[in-house]
């Protein structure tokens, strides 16, 4: 079982934890003909059970905490977590808002951060490359 | 008739080894076609699309993943359903002539048997959905059953009218030949039996079968059972890892088998007699390649083009399309063939 097959067939589950929808639209833009991430084998799937990557947007409102944890646990190993957008990284425009349970990495372990409010589609694709680099490093660490 | 004939051991070994080889080849070509299909759809949408080997990567990746069985699921059914689905899909390959050759078990089953066998993968699929305890999967499984019941009738009309027309000729023979046998269908292709009206009728039947193929493969616009955007994956919502991989493979093999069925019923021609190649090996290669071209044509029309051109139907529309529209259209085809016989 090669790392290449895993790297080049990432299925993505998109999880909105209370974002303003700006990042979600940019994520959809990544799938359009102009950016077309399907050429790297990346597919958007509808269920966390099928996912290899959790694409988390939003600052995690209090209501979402158990759900985010649960979705993280529902995703089969091995998995990656990518946070898209400033508000998921450190709160962004919602910084220190009364209803936040903290940025995403307070709730679940995060592998890749994509800053921007919202990040450009190129930045999201670049973060996938970063995820590949991380996977390669992890494999070298093991072997 | 004794299934294994005189030499039980030799025939048994031939059947077992042959099945393994056939299923393997069918799977590989099915995955290749799925890759080509995805590439072509991407090109038609103005995208670059995944590489053609993408399905192989997907399968490899799915095998590396963890297979989760949800707490609420009926675990033995949940695990058994993907296997049953894959095995019954693979069974189809044994009864349908592939690569211009006779079907491996062609002597023991005909086109009517295929109609019944085609139900099994969908049933296993639905059972898996019901067993997985998720409300999304349950809704998906119910939809799968509704769609299954909807396209059954046009499918039966198409195959039975074909057999009925061919039977008019073959039952006069001594000894009479079973018109539903693929060998008989290949010997008396419908196009050479009928007049102009009948040709129009047969074309209509081909159209019906192509639309049914699209639904059988659960492709857009008929993928209501999986409906990623509304049911979050529908039947498959709880499946992961190896179990999901088995369903993925079953789907690919089923699509390949269904396209081969259309080829076997309506385009049973071989290229080698036409271009006059005598040597068996060379003729086999040419026919095999020609078969791949024919299957590609069927898949391209019934899956790629329809998938690109249309959006998903609502569940009520799917039933309507099959139960009313396609049934009427296929009956028109049948009537045209019958009228052709009278004039
Ligand atoms: S990072 Fe900005 S654009 Fe993205 S979800 Fe947060 S507030 Fe909206």
């Amino acid at each position: 079982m090669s790392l290449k097959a895993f790297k080049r067939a990432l299925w993505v589950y998109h999880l909105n934890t209370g974002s303003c929808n700006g990042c979600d639209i940019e994520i959809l833009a990544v799938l359009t003909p102009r950016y077309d991430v399907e050429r790297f084998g990346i597919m958007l799937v509808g269920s966390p059970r099928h996912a290899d990557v959790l694409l988390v947007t939003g600052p995690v409102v209090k209501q979402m905490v158990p759900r985010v944890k649960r979705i993280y646990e529902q995703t089969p190993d091995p998995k990656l977590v990518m946070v898209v957008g400033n508000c998921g990284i450190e709160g962004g425009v919602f910084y220190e808002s009364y209803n936040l349970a903290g940025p995403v990495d307070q709730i679940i372990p995060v592998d890749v951060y994509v800053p921007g409010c919202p990040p450009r589609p190129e930045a999201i694709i670049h973060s996938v490359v970063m995820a590949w680099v991380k996977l390669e490093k992890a494999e070298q660490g093991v072997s | 008739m004794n299934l294994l004939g005189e030499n039980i051991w030799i025939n048994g070994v031939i059947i077992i080894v042959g099945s393994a080889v056939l299923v393997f080849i069918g799977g590989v070509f099915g995955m290749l076609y799925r890759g080509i299909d995805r590439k072509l759809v991407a090109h038609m949408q103005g995208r670059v699309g995944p590489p053609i080997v993408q399905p192989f990567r997907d399968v490899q990746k799915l095998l590396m993943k963890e297979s989760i069985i949800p707490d609420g699921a009926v675990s033995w059914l949940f695990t058994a359903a993907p296997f049953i689905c894959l095995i019954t899909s693979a069974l189809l390959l044994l009864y349908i002539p592939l690569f211009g050759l006779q079907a491996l078990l062609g002597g023991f089953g005909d086109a009517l048997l295929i109609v019944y066998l085609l139900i099994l993968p969908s049933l296993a699929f639905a059972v898996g959905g019901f067993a997985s305890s998720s409300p999304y999967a349950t809704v998906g499984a119910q939809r799968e059953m509704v769609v299954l019941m909807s396209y059954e009738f046009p499918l039966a009309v198409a195959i039975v009218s074909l057999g009925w027309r061919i039977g008019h000729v073959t039952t006069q023979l001594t000894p009479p030949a079973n018109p539903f046998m693929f060998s008989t269908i290949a010997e008396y292709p419908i196009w050479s039996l009928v007049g102009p009206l009948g040709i129009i009728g047969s074309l209509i039947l081909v159209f019906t079968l192509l639309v049914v193929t699209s639904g059988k493969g659960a492709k857009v616009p008929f993928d209501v059972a999986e409906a990623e955007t509304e049911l979050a994956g529908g039947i498959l919502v709880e499946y992961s890892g190896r179990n999901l991989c088995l369903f993925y493979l079953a789907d690919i093999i089923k699509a390949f088998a269904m396209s081969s069925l259309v080829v076997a019923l309506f385009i049973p021609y071989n290229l080698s007699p036409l271009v006059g190649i005598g040597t068996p090996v060379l003729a086999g290669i040419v026919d095999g390649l020609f078969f791949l071209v024919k299957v590609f044509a069927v898949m391209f029309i019934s899956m790629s083009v329809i998938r690109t051109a249309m959006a998903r139907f609502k569940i009520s529309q799917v039933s309507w399309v099959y139960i009313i529209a396609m049934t009427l259209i296929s009956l028109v085809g049948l009537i045209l063939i019958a009228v052709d016989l009278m004039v």
Side-chain angles (χ1 to χ4, degrees):
Chain A
M1 295 298 160
S2 67
L3 176 70
K4 176 148 200 221
F6 187 78
K7 258 181 19 176
R8 296 302 295 269
L10 294 177
W11 291 2
V12 176
Y13 178 74
H14 171 203
L15 169 61
N16 181 337
T17 63
S19 83
C20 79
N21 238 329
C23 288
D24 310 59
I25 289 170
E26 294 305 312
I27 288 168
L28 288 186
V30 170
L31 300 167
T32 54
R34 188 172 190 94
Y35 297 102
D36 184 34
V37 282
E38 206 194 348
R39 65 201 150 117
F40 305 122
I42 297 174
M43 272 208 312
L44 204 59
V45 291
S47 158
R49 294 268 196 240
H50 306 175
D52 309 300
V53 178
L54 279 184
L55 211 57
V56 188
T57 61
V60 193
V61 292
K62 282 187 182 138
Q63 293 273 320
M64 280 303 283
V65 174
R67 292 163 177 93
V68 171
K69 281 187 187 151
R70 185 136 180 235
I71 286 178
Y72 181 77
E73 278 155 15
Q74 281 179 341
T75 312
D77 288 327
K79 62 194 158 198
L80 287 166
V81 178
M82 276 166 62
V83 175
V84 177
N86 277 350
C87 65
I89 296 175
E90 38 81 40
V93 288
F94 307 112
Y95 185 64
E96 291 200 328
S97 181
Y98 66 95
N99 55 356
L100 296 191
V104 178
D105 53 8
Q106 308 267 317
I107 319 286
I108 51 174
V110 174
D111 296 295
V112 184
Y113 297 91
V114 192
C117 184
R120 286 195 56 80
E122 289 93 335
I124 299 178
I125 297 176
H126 180 244
S127 71
V128 173
V129 179
M130 292 286 102
W132 288 351
V133 171
K134 184 157 183 172
L135 281 173
E136 271 161 15
K137 278 201 187 129
E139 194 187 44
Q140 278 159 11
V142 170
S143 58
Chain B
M1 182 164 50
N2 182 356
L3 181 71
L4 298 177
E6 305 278 285
N7 305 316
I8 291 191
W9 286 110
I10 296 178
N11 285 349
V13 167
I14 288 180
I15 288 182
I16 291 172
V17 173
S19 319
V21 171
L22 257 185
V23 172
F24 178 74
I25 294 179
V28 168
F29 277 103
M31 286 208 260
L32 214 54
Y33 275 146
R34 178 54 55 90
I36 296 174
D37 165 74
R38 279 174 70 177
K39 189 92 190 163
L40 285 175
V41 169
H43 275 305
M44 282 189 270
Q45 292 174 337
R47 294 187 288 121
V48 178
I52 286 171
V53 293
Q54 189 62 45
F56 295 93
R57 287 184 184 158
D58 285 347
V59 165
Q60 262 192 49
K61 182 212 70 181
L62 284 174
L63 287 175
M64 287 158 78
K65 301 275 291 181
E66 181 189 13
S67 308
I68 299 176
I69 299 174
D71 275 346
V74 188
S75 65
W76 66 273
L77 260 185
F78 185 82
T79 352
F83 283 101
I84 301 173
C85 189
L86 180 61
I87 291 169
T88 48
S89 310
L91 205 57
L92 290 170
L93 291 179
L94 308 186
Y95 285 100
I96 299 174
L98 301 171
F99 300 99
L101 306 169
Q102 292 287 327
L104 185 66
L105 299 181
F108 308 110
D110 53 18
L112 285 181
L113 179 73
I114 299 287
V115 176
Y116 290 109
L117 279 183
L118 274 173
I119 302 176
L120 291 178
S122 310
L123 272 184
F125 205 41
V127 165
F130 282 126
S132 58
S133 83
S134 159
Y136 288 111
T138 311
V139 174
Q142 284 163 351
R143 289 182 172 195
E144 174 81 18
M145 299 315 294
V146 171
V147 176
L148 174 70
M149 284 184 264
S150 311
Y151 60 58
E152 217 48 48
F153 196 56
L155 175 67
V157 171
I159 291 182
V160 170
S161 356
L162 178 82
W164 173 74
R165 184 61 189 83
I166 293 175
H168 259 276
V169 180
T170 55
T171 42
Q172 313 295 331
L173 301 174
T174 39
N178 175 356
F180 288 103
M181 280 297 190
F182 286 110
S183 49
T184 324
I185 294 175
E187 217 171 315
Y188 302 91
I190 180 97
W191 310 104
S192 52
L193 301 180
V194 291
L197 270 183
I199 290 205
I200 299 175
S202 313
L203 282 176
I204 291 177
L205 292 184
V206 172
F207 171 71
T208 316
L209 263 188
L210 288 180
V211 177
V212 171
T213 307
S214 176
K216 199 82 225 181
K219 290 282 161 294
V220 179
F222 301 111
D223 66 335
V224 282
E226 280 159 58
E228 218 105 272
T229 37
E230 72 193 83
L231 282 187
I235 295 188
L236 295 177
V237 73
E238 291 290 348
Y239 278 98
S240 59
R242 192 200 61 214
N243 292 334
L244 183 62
C245 176
L246 293 177
F247 273 130
Y248 188 90
L249 281 175
D251 178 44
I252 283 172
I253 290 183
K254 197 169 65 174
F256 188 73
M258 194 62 201
S259 309
S260 317
L261 175 67
V262 180
V263 167
L265 290 176
F266 282 99
I267 335 175
Y269 299 101
N270 275 336
L271 197 58
S272 53
L274 292 180
V275 290
I277 296 173
T279 37
V281 178
L282 207 57
I285 295 176
V286 170
D287 289 342
L289 290 177
F290 185 55
F291 169 82
L292 288 176
V293 173
K294 290 187 288 187
V295 170
F296 173 74
V298 171
M299 274 202 175
F300 180 67
I301 299 171
S302 68
M303 306 211 168
S304 316
V305 172
I306 298 184
R307 185 148 84 91
T308 321
M310 300 181 77
R312 183 183 309 121
F313 285 128
K314 285 187 270 180
I315 178 67
S316 55
Q317 289 169 329
V318 170
S319 300
W320 187 89
V321 165
Y322 280 127
I323 294 187
I324 307 207
M326 288 326 291
T327 305
L328 282 183
I329 291 175
S330 59
L331 285 177
V332 169
L334 170 60
I335 291 170
L336 281 179
I337 291 181
V339 170
D340 178 71
L341 200 60
M342 282 180 241
V343 291

